[in-house]
mmCIF file of all heavy atoms in Angstrom:
data_model
loop_
_atom_site.group_PDB
_atom_site.id
_atom_site.type_symbol
_atom_site.label_atom_id
_atom_site.label_comp_id
_atom_site.label_asym_id
_atom_site.label_seq_id
_atom_site.Cartn_x
_atom_site.Cartn_y
_atom_site.Cartn_z
ATOM 1 N N ALA A 81 0.711 25.797 -10.554
ATOM 2 C CA ALA A 81 1.377 26.400 -9.399
ATOM 3 C C ALA A 81 0.377 26.184 -8.198
ATOM 4 O O ALA A 81 0.893 26.046 -7.064
ATOM 5 C CB ALA A 81 1.762 27.859 -9.635
ATOM 6 N N LYS A 82 -0.878 26.374 -8.413
ATOM 7 C CA LYS A 82 -1.841 26.207 -7.277
ATOM 8 C C LYS A 82 -1.906 24.679 -6.989
ATOM 9 O O LYS A 82 -2.022 24.321 -5.813
ATOM 10 C CB LYS A 82 -3.210 26.742 -7.646
ATOM 11 C CG LYS A 82 -3.319 28.184 -7.768
ATOM 12 C CD LYS A 82 -4.670 28.573 -8.276
ATOM 13 C CE LYS A 82 -4.747 30.143 -8.322
ATOM 14 N NZ LYS A 82 -6.184 30.595 -8.902
ATOM 15 N N GLN A 83 -1.904 23.829 -7.889
ATOM 16 C CA GLN A 83 -2.035 22.481 -7.773
ATOM 17 C C GLN A 83 -0.839 21.791 -7.093
ATOM 18 O O GLN A 83 -0.814 20.907 -6.248
ATOM 19 C CB GLN A 83 -2.356 21.676 -9.012
ATOM 20 C CG GLN A 83 -2.613 20.181 -8.936
ATOM 21 C CD GLN A 83 -2.934 19.563 -10.191
ATOM 22 O OE1 GLN A 83 -3.047 20.248 -11.281
ATOM 23 N NE2 GLN A 83 -3.146 18.303 -10.261
ATOM 24 N N PHE A 84 0.405 22.239 -7.474
ATOM 25 C CA PHE A 84 1.623 21.762 -6.936
ATOM 26 C C PHE A 84 2.523 22.963 -6.488
ATOM 27 O O PHE A 84 3.591 23.208 -7.092
ATOM 28 C CB PHE A 84 2.410 21.043 -8.089
ATOM 29 C CG PHE A 84 1.676 19.969 -8.755
ATOM 30 C CD1 PHE A 84 1.189 20.017 -10.035
ATOM 31 C CD2 PHE A 84 1.340 18.779 -8.113
ATOM 32 C CE1 PHE A 84 0.467 19.162 -10.663
ATOM 33 C CE2 PHE A 84 0.669 17.735 -8.776
ATOM 34 C CZ PHE A 84 0.169 17.959 -9.970
ATOM 35 N N PRO A 85 2.195 23.631 -5.398
ATOM 36 C CA PRO A 85 2.802 24.820 -4.952
ATOM 37 C C PRO A 85 4.250 24.578 -4.489
ATOM 38 O O PRO A 85 5.067 25.424 -4.592
ATOM 39 C CB PRO A 85 1.924 25.313 -3.812
ATOM 40 C CG PRO A 85 1.230 24.117 -3.406
ATOM 41 C CD PRO A 85 0.945 23.339 -4.533
ATOM 42 N N ASN A 86 4.597 23.312 -4.097
ATOM 43 C CA ASN A 86 6.016 23.112 -3.612
ATOM 44 C C ASN A 86 6.647 21.922 -4.306
ATOM 45 O O ASN A 86 7.551 21.297 -3.806
ATOM 46 C CB ASN A 86 5.966 22.905 -2.125
ATOM 47 C CG ASN A 86 5.342 24.039 -1.275
ATOM 48 O OD1 ASN A 86 4.242 23.918 -0.844
ATOM 49 N ND2 ASN A 86 6.144 25.056 -1.182
ATOM 50 N N ASP A 87 6.093 21.526 -5.483
ATOM 51 C CA ASP A 87 6.618 20.435 -6.214
ATOM 52 C C ASP A 87 6.906 20.769 -7.570
ATOM 53 O O ASP A 87 6.143 20.699 -8.610
ATOM 54 C CB ASP A 87 5.399 19.278 -6.161
ATOM 55 C CG ASP A 87 5.938 18.005 -6.799
ATOM 56 O OD1 ASP A 87 7.078 17.908 -7.438
ATOM 57 O OD2 ASP A 87 5.209 17.051 -6.779
ATOM 58 N N ILE A 88 8.233 21.224 -7.757
ATOM 59 C CA ILE A 88 8.539 21.762 -9.062
ATOM 60 C C ILE A 88 8.676 20.600 -10.135
ATOM 61 O O ILE A 88 8.368 20.830 -11.230
ATOM 62 C CB ILE A 88 10.120 22.339 -8.950
ATOM 63 C CG1 ILE A 88 10.534 23.052 -10.291
ATOM 64 C CG2 ILE A 88 11.050 21.301 -8.713
ATOM 65 C CD1 ILE A 88 9.578 24.299 -10.590
ATOM 66 N N ASP A 89 8.892 19.398 -9.943
ATOM 67 C CA ASP A 89 8.933 18.212 -10.795
ATOM 68 C C ASP A 89 7.458 18.000 -11.367
ATOM 69 O O ASP A 89 7.343 17.958 -12.602
ATOM 70 C CB ASP A 89 9.442 16.964 -10.169
ATOM 71 C CG ASP A 89 10.898 17.028 -9.774
ATOM 72 O OD1 ASP A 89 11.667 17.811 -10.452
ATOM 73 O OD2 ASP A 89 11.438 16.283 -9.002
ATOM 74 N N SER A 90 6.416 18.120 -10.433
ATOM 75 C CA SER A 90 5.156 17.872 -10.944
ATOM 76 C C SER A 90 4.618 19.016 -11.761
ATOM 77 O O SER A 90 3.901 18.990 -12.852
ATOM 78 C CB SER A 90 4.139 17.682 -9.852
ATOM 79 O OG SER A 90 4.533 16.449 -9.192
ATOM 80 N N TYR A 91 5.043 20.244 -11.447
ATOM 81 C CA TYR A 91 4.831 21.403 -12.156
ATOM 82 C C TYR A 91 5.300 21.388 -13.457
ATOM 83 O O TYR A 91 4.634 21.654 -14.440
ATOM 84 C CB TYR A 91 5.325 22.686 -11.387
ATOM 85 C CG TYR A 91 5.349 23.920 -12.247
ATOM 86 C CD1 TYR A 91 4.154 24.714 -12.217
ATOM 87 C CD2 TYR A 91 6.427 24.381 -12.892
ATOM 88 C CE1 TYR A 91 4.065 25.987 -12.874
ATOM 89 C CE2 TYR A 91 6.418 25.667 -13.535
ATOM 90 C CZ TYR A 91 5.321 26.342 -13.527
ATOM 91 O OH TYR A 91 5.281 27.543 -14.327
ATOM 92 N N CYS A 92 6.657 20.931 -13.632
ATOM 93 C CA CYS A 92 7.222 20.898 -14.978
ATOM 94 C C CYS A 92 6.661 19.807 -15.944
ATOM 95 O O CYS A 92 6.335 19.945 -17.051
ATOM 96 C CB CYS A 92 8.723 20.575 -14.911
ATOM 97 S SG CYS A 92 9.629 22.074 -14.186
ATOM 98 N N LEU A 93 6.190 18.717 -15.314
ATOM 99 C CA LEU A 93 5.617 17.530 -15.944
ATOM 100 C C LEU A 93 4.245 18.083 -16.391
ATOM 101 O O LEU A 93 3.838 17.594 -17.552
ATOM 102 C CB LEU A 93 5.428 16.306 -15.082
ATOM 103 C CG LEU A 93 6.845 15.473 -14.829
ATOM 104 C CD1 LEU A 93 6.525 14.309 -13.766
ATOM 105 C CD2 LEU A 93 7.225 14.812 -16.107
ATOM 106 N N GLY A 94 3.639 18.800 -15.809
ATOM 107 C CA GLY A 94 2.268 19.334 -16.043
ATOM 108 C C GLY A 94 2.247 20.117 -17.398
ATOM 109 O O GLY A 94 1.282 20.387 -18.031
ATOM 110 N N LYS A 95 3.501 20.708 -17.643
ATOM 111 C CA LYS A 95 3.600 21.629 -18.841
ATOM 112 C C LYS A 95 4.100 20.852 -19.943
ATOM 113 O O LYS A 95 4.001 21.496 -21.223
ATOM 114 C CB LYS A 95 4.713 22.768 -18.554
ATOM 115 C CG LYS A 95 4.299 23.752 -17.440
ATOM 116 C CD LYS A 95 5.212 24.806 -17.397
ATOM 117 C CE LYS A 95 6.642 24.497 -17.154
ATOM 118 N NZ LYS A 95 7.595 25.732 -17.112
ATOM 119 N N GLU A 96 4.465 19.566 -19.877
ATOM 120 C CA GLU A 96 5.126 18.931 -21.040
ATOM 121 C C GLU A 96 4.252 18.964 -22.256
ATOM 122 O O GLU A 96 4.830 19.086 -23.357
ATOM 123 C CB GLU A 96 5.612 17.615 -20.506
ATOM 124 C CG GLU A 96 7.024 17.650 -19.754
ATOM 125 C CD GLU A 96 7.677 16.215 -19.755
ATOM 126 O OE1 GLU A 96 6.949 15.261 -20.111
ATOM 127 O OE2 GLU A 96 8.745 16.166 -19.203
ATOM 128 N N GLN A 97 3.156 18.400 -22.180
ATOM 129 C CA GLN A 97 2.256 18.199 -23.285
ATOM 130 C C GLN A 97 2.019 19.516 -24.002
ATOM 131 O O GLN A 97 1.942 19.503 -25.241
ATOM 132 C CB GLN A 97 0.934 17.529 -22.915
ATOM 133 C CG GLN A 97 1.031 16.062 -22.663
ATOM 134 C CD GLN A 97 1.752 15.239 -23.791
ATOM 135 O OE1 GLN A 97 1.426 15.368 -24.879
ATOM 136 N NE2 GLN A 97 2.820 14.409 -23.387
ATOM 137 N N PHE A 98 1.763 20.537 -23.248
ATOM 138 C CA PHE A 98 1.624 21.838 -23.940
ATOM 139 C C PHE A 98 2.787 22.285 -24.737
ATOM 140 O O PHE A 98 2.738 22.728 -25.921
ATOM 141 C CB PHE A 98 1.169 22.866 -22.869
ATOM 142 C CG PHE A 98 0.935 24.295 -23.484
ATOM 143 C CD1 PHE A 98 -0.371 24.694 -23.832
ATOM 144 C CD2 PHE A 98 1.968 25.166 -23.638
ATOM 145 C CE1 PHE A 98 -0.623 25.920 -24.339
ATOM 146 C CE2 PHE A 98 1.649 26.389 -24.167
ATOM 147 C CZ PHE A 98 0.396 26.831 -24.574
ATOM 148 N N ILE A 99 3.988 22.200 -24.108
ATOM 149 C CA ILE A 99 5.304 22.591 -24.674
ATOM 150 C C ILE A 99 5.424 21.689 -25.796
ATOM 151 O O ILE A 99 5.879 22.256 -26.946
ATOM 152 C CB ILE A 99 6.423 22.398 -23.660
ATOM 153 C CG1 ILE A 99 6.175 23.475 -22.578
ATOM 154 C CG2 ILE A 99 7.735 22.623 -24.330
ATOM 155 C CD1 ILE A 99 7.216 23.337 -21.439
ATOM 156 N N LYS A 100 5.162 20.436 -25.903
ATOM 157 C CA LYS A 100 5.473 19.496 -27.036
ATOM 158 C C LYS A 100 4.504 19.947 -28.143
ATOM 159 O O LYS A 100 4.981 20.025 -29.356
ATOM 160 C CB LYS A 100 5.219 18.085 -26.717
ATOM 161 C CG LYS A 100 5.745 17.171 -27.768
ATOM 162 C CD LYS A 100 5.795 15.738 -27.146
ATOM 163 C CE LYS A 100 6.514 14.845 -28.117
ATOM 164 N NZ LYS A 100 6.853 13.501 -27.487
ATOM 165 N N LYS A 101 3.336 20.313 -27.909
ATOM 166 C CA LYS A 101 2.402 20.731 -28.815
ATOM 167 C C LYS A 101 2.933 22.043 -29.534
ATOM 168 O O LYS A 101 2.743 22.310 -30.730
ATOM 169 C CB LYS A 101 1.072 20.871 -28.303
ATOM 170 C CG LYS A 101 0.019 21.306 -29.197
ATOM 171 C CD LYS A 101 -1.355 21.450 -28.589
ATOM 172 C CE LYS A 101 -2.620 21.772 -29.483
ATOM 173 N NZ LYS A 101 -3.829 21.991 -28.857
ATOM 174 N N ILE A 102 3.273 23.010 -28.687
ATOM 175 C CA ILE A 102 3.839 24.262 -29.276
ATOM 176 C C ILE A 102 5.106 24.034 -30.034
ATOM 177 O O ILE A 102 5.259 24.657 -31.140
ATOM 178 C CB ILE A 102 4.074 25.370 -28.153
ATOM 179 C CG1 ILE A 102 2.758 25.647 -27.537
ATOM 180 C CG2 ILE A 102 4.788 26.646 -28.697
ATOM 181 C CD1 ILE A 102 1.690 26.263 -28.435
ATOM 182 N N ASP A 103 6.030 23.166 -29.613
ATOM 183 C CA ASP A 103 7.150 22.770 -30.287
ATOM 184 C C ASP A 103 6.820 22.362 -31.756
ATOM 185 O O ASP A 103 7.566 22.712 -32.674
ATOM 186 C CB ASP A 103 8.052 21.762 -29.557
ATOM 187 C CG ASP A 103 8.831 22.323 -28.490
ATOM 188 O OD1 ASP A 103 9.041 23.575 -28.371
ATOM 189 O OD2 ASP A 103 9.194 21.492 -27.495
ATOM 190 N N MET A 104 5.966 21.549 -31.808
ATOM 191 C CA MET A 104 5.450 20.971 -33.113
ATOM 192 C C MET A 104 4.820 22.062 -34.078
ATOM 193 O O MET A 104 5.295 22.133 -35.225
ATOM 194 C CB MET A 104 4.431 19.878 -32.984
ATOM 195 C CG MET A 104 5.001 18.466 -32.560
ATOM 196 S SD MET A 104 5.900 17.848 -33.925
ATOM 197 C CE MET A 104 4.662 17.289 -35.119
ATOM 198 N N GLN A 105 4.025 22.928 -33.519
ATOM 199 C CA GLN A 105 3.399 23.867 -34.296
ATOM 200 C C GLN A 105 4.571 24.915 -34.704
ATOM 201 O O GLN A 105 4.463 25.420 -35.828
ATOM 202 C CB GLN A 105 2.372 24.644 -33.506
ATOM 203 C CG GLN A 105 1.198 23.769 -33.187
ATOM 204 C CD GLN A 105 0.141 24.382 -32.252
ATOM 205 O OE1 GLN A 105 0.527 25.293 -31.543
ATOM 206 N NE2 GLN A 105 -1.065 23.667 -32.066
ATOM 207 N N ALA A 106 5.395 25.256 -33.791
ATOM 208 C CA ALA A 106 6.483 26.130 -34.133
ATOM 209 C C ALA A 106 7.415 25.693 -35.148
ATOM 210 O O ALA A 106 7.769 26.385 -36.054
ATOM 211 C CB ALA A 106 7.306 26.580 -32.842
ATOM 212 N N ALA A 107 7.801 24.305 -35.059
ATOM 213 C CA ALA A 107 8.619 23.749 -36.131
ATOM 214 C C ALA A 107 7.980 23.790 -37.500
ATOM 215 O O ALA A 107 8.741 23.942 -38.512
ATOM 216 C CB ALA A 107 8.953 22.263 -35.630
ATOM 217 N N LYS A 108 6.700 23.613 -37.589
ATOM 218 C CA LYS A 108 6.016 23.449 -38.797
ATOM 219 C C LYS A 108 5.831 24.968 -39.414
ATOM 220 O O LYS A 108 5.622 25.139 -40.736
ATOM 221 C CB LYS A 108 4.655 22.819 -38.613
ATOM 222 C CG LYS A 108 4.740 21.301 -38.442
ATOM 223 C CD LYS A 108 3.473 20.707 -38.270
ATOM 224 C CE LYS A 108 3.483 19.230 -38.065
ATOM 225 N NZ LYS A 108 2.232 18.623 -37.841
ATOM 226 N N ALA A 109 5.958 25.927 -38.647
ATOM 227 C CA ALA A 109 5.671 27.346 -38.996
ATOM 228 C C ALA A 109 6.856 28.058 -39.483
ATOM 229 O O ALA A 109 6.827 29.060 -40.011
ATOM 230 C CB ALA A 109 5.094 28.183 -37.839
ATOM 231 N N VAL A 110 8.055 27.455 -39.293
ATOM 232 C CA VAL A 110 9.270 28.110 -39.730
ATOM 233 C C VAL A 110 10.021 27.370 -40.869
ATOM 234 O O VAL A 110 9.688 26.086 -41.023
ATOM 235 C CB VAL A 110 10.225 28.340 -38.600
ATOM 236 C CG1 VAL A 110 9.562 29.196 -37.464
ATOM 237 C CG2 VAL A 110 10.822 26.972 -38.094
ATOM 238 N N THR A 111 10.894 27.972 -41.564
ATOM 239 C CA THR A 111 11.681 27.323 -42.635
ATOM 240 C C THR A 111 13.177 27.317 -42.376
ATOM 241 O O THR A 111 13.973 26.671 -42.989
ATOM 242 C CB THR A 111 11.501 27.994 -43.984
ATOM 243 O OG1 THR A 111 11.866 29.457 -43.793
ATOM 244 C CG2 THR A 111 10.004 27.900 -44.415
ATOM 245 N N THR A 112 13.618 28.104 -41.245
ATOM 246 C CA THR A 112 15.092 28.209 -40.852
ATOM 247 C C THR A 112 15.371 27.283 -39.806
ATOM 248 O O THR A 112 14.894 27.439 -38.644
ATOM 249 C CB THR A 112 15.459 29.541 -40.376
ATOM 250 O OG1 THR A 112 15.010 30.583 -41.469
ATOM 251 C CG2 THR A 112 16.863 29.695 -40.221
ATOM 252 N N PRO A 113 16.155 26.108 -40.157
ATOM 253 C CA PRO A 113 16.423 25.137 -39.095
ATOM 254 C C PRO A 113 17.605 25.400 -38.202
ATOM 255 O O PRO A 113 17.814 24.569 -37.211
ATOM 256 C CB PRO A 113 16.661 23.941 -39.998
ATOM 257 C CG PRO A 113 17.251 24.432 -41.200
ATOM 258 C CD PRO A 113 16.648 25.798 -41.439
ATOM 259 N N ASN A 114 18.467 26.347 -38.505
ATOM 260 C CA ASN A 114 19.692 26.354 -37.725
ATOM 261 C C ASN A 114 20.015 27.722 -37.317
ATOM 262 O O ASN A 114 19.421 28.839 -37.630
ATOM 263 C CB ASN A 114 20.857 25.692 -38.481
ATOM 264 C CG ASN A 114 21.152 26.808 -39.773
ATOM 265 O OD1 ASN A 114 20.234 27.333 -40.309
ATOM 266 N ND2 ASN A 114 22.429 26.911 -40.161
ATOM 267 N N TYR A 115 21.071 27.857 -36.428
ATOM 268 C CA TYR A 115 21.416 29.108 -35.842
ATOM 269 C C TYR A 115 22.914 29.365 -36.332
ATOM 270 O O TYR A 115 23.793 28.259 -36.132
ATOM 271 C CB TYR A 115 21.399 29.272 -34.341
ATOM 272 C CG TYR A 115 21.750 30.455 -33.789
ATOM 273 C CD1 TYR A 115 20.781 31.404 -33.487
ATOM 274 C CD2 TYR A 115 23.036 30.936 -33.519
ATOM 275 C CE1 TYR A 115 21.139 32.650 -32.867
ATOM 276 C CE2 TYR A 115 23.310 32.088 -32.929
ATOM 277 C CZ TYR A 115 22.350 33.047 -32.596
ATOM 278 O OH TYR A 115 22.705 34.229 -32.109
ATOM 279 N N THR A 116 23.223 30.302 -37.086
ATOM 280 C CA THR A 116 24.575 30.539 -37.431
ATOM 281 C C THR A 116 25.439 31.391 -36.594
ATOM 282 O O THR A 116 24.952 32.628 -36.241
ATOM 283 C CB THR A 116 24.519 31.234 -38.904
ATOM 284 O OG1 THR A 116 23.846 30.425 -39.774
ATOM 285 C CG2 THR A 116 26.016 31.460 -39.405
ATOM 286 N N LEU A 117 26.472 30.955 -36.017
ATOM 287 C CA LEU A 117 27.285 31.602 -35.009
ATOM 288 C C LEU A 117 28.557 32.252 -35.893
ATOM 289 O O LEU A 117 29.281 31.434 -36.351
ATOM 290 C CB LEU A 117 27.808 30.723 -34.012
ATOM 291 C CG LEU A 117 28.644 31.213 -32.849
ATOM 292 C CD1 LEU A 117 27.834 32.209 -31.996
ATOM 293 C CD2 LEU A 117 29.028 30.091 -31.873
ATOM 294 N N ALA A 118 28.666 33.502 -35.787
ATOM 295 C CA ALA A 118 29.680 34.243 -36.516
ATOM 296 C C ALA A 118 31.042 33.800 -35.851
ATOM 297 O O ALA A 118 31.262 33.774 -34.586
ATOM 298 C CB ALA A 118 29.619 35.724 -36.442
ATOM 299 N N GLY A 119 32.197 33.638 -36.801
ATOM 300 C CA GLY A 119 33.402 33.315 -36.202
ATOM 301 C C GLY A 119 33.738 32.069 -35.712
ATOM 302 O O GLY A 119 34.814 31.768 -35.133
ATOM 303 N N ALA A 120 32.815 31.062 -35.825
ATOM 304 C CA ALA A 120 32.938 29.729 -35.329
ATOM 305 C C ALA A 120 33.719 28.818 -36.326
ATOM 306 O O ALA A 120 33.330 28.891 -37.490
ATOM 307 C CB ALA A 120 31.601 29.121 -34.955
#
């Protein structure tokens, strides 16, 4: 936010690698792959 105070695209791109890393770690840490919606 300090580096790109008015550039939301660059701000979001700057988070991508961190988010992808957490996505991988989170996917390996769980065993439930789906969401069950009642009444569907």
Side-chain angles (χ1 to χ4, degrees):
K82 290 179 181 178
Q83 186 177 357
F84 307 108
N86 302 104
D87 185 351
I88 189 64
D89 290 337
S90 295
Y91 169 82
C92 291
L93 283 171
K95 297 191 299 177
E96 274 193 1
Q97 286 305 311
F98 181 92
I99 290 173
K100 192 165 191 172
K101 183 178 178 181
I102 296 299
D103 281 340
M104 280 291 292
Q105 293 171 345
K108 290 178 179 179
V110 301
T111 56
T112 305
N114 68 326
Y115 187 93
T116 302
L117 183 64

